[in-house]
Amino acid sequence: LTKPQQREINMAQQQEDNQRFEITEDDLEQHTKDGPDVPSIPILNRENGEQSPVCVIVVGMAGSGKTTLMTQLQRSLALPSSTSEDETSERKVGYCLNLDPATLSVPFGASIDIRDTVDYKEVMKQHGLGPNGAIMTSLNLFTTKFDQVMGILERRAFAAEQNQQLLDYILVDTPGQIEAFTWSASG
């Protein structure tokens, strides 16, 4: 097949796929009338009956805009940001985690940052690794302490200490190296 023929076949397959998964107004009407066809997932509630925090884990290829999305999510949820000083009494309370050890700067206010625990460049130097290997090794080293991260999040989400609001959101930014999620224990 020539390239134009292959492109035409690919476009036809994409159109077929789009038609197969197209949601019609009848589908929406049926869904809202009868409810979803799948059983709902129970949401963990706190002891005081409030809903537990929403956790958003941003995953994608390198350069796909994960960190930009995190920055915008933080702004739209009115979480404290390193660039914003406005304090309002009705703002949502959240935690942002940066799990990308190789990023040079984090444009959102990260409550927990892997770079505070693991020095990516030092890992690369000590182990003679390239950039991707150093990212994978840094993530694996960080996972040895992840129980502490979970402990912090659980304390903030479910048993707030005096004068501390419970978390509404947990936002997690991840590195773009897809191998971290496809074949690594740290992913």
Side-chain angles (χ1 to χ4, degrees), residues 47-136:
E47 289 177 14
N48 63 1
E50 292 180 15
Q51 183 177 328
S52 62
V54 173
C55 184
V56 178
I57 302 173
V58 182
V59 179
M61 299 298 288
S64 63
K66 295 176 301 300
T67 301
T68 303
L69 175 62
M70 283 285 295
T71 304
Q72 292 304 319
L73 280 172
Q74 186 180 56
R75 274 194 199 125
S76 68
L77 297 171
L79 297 177
S81 172
S82 58
T83 59
S84 171
E85 296 294 325
D86 82 323
E87 297 278 326
T88 60
S89 59
E90 293 186 27
R91 69 183 180 147
K92 300 288 185 184
V93 178
Y95 243 58
C96 289
L97 282 73
N98 172 43
L99 298 183
D100 187 353
T103 191
L104 297 175
S105 68
V106 179
F108 55 88
S111 304
I112 297 175
D113 191 337
I114 188 173
R115 298 173 310 156
D116 295 336
T117 306
V118 181
D119 184 347
Y120 158 78
K121 289 191 179 204
E122 190 62 30
V123 167
M124 198 168 12
K125 218 184 302 177
Q126 281 186 2
H127 299 284
L129 298 170
N132 285 359
I135 288 171
M136 296 297 297

Side-chain angles (χ1 to χ4, degrees), residues 133-155:
I135 288 171
M136 296 297 297
T137 302
S138 296
L139 287 169
N140 287 330
L141 289 169
F142 190 68
T143 57
T144 64
K145 302 289 185 187
F146 207 73
D147 59 328
Q148 293 173 11
V149 173
M150 290 303 295
I152 291 168
L153 294 175
E154 287 172 359
R155 278 193 305 277

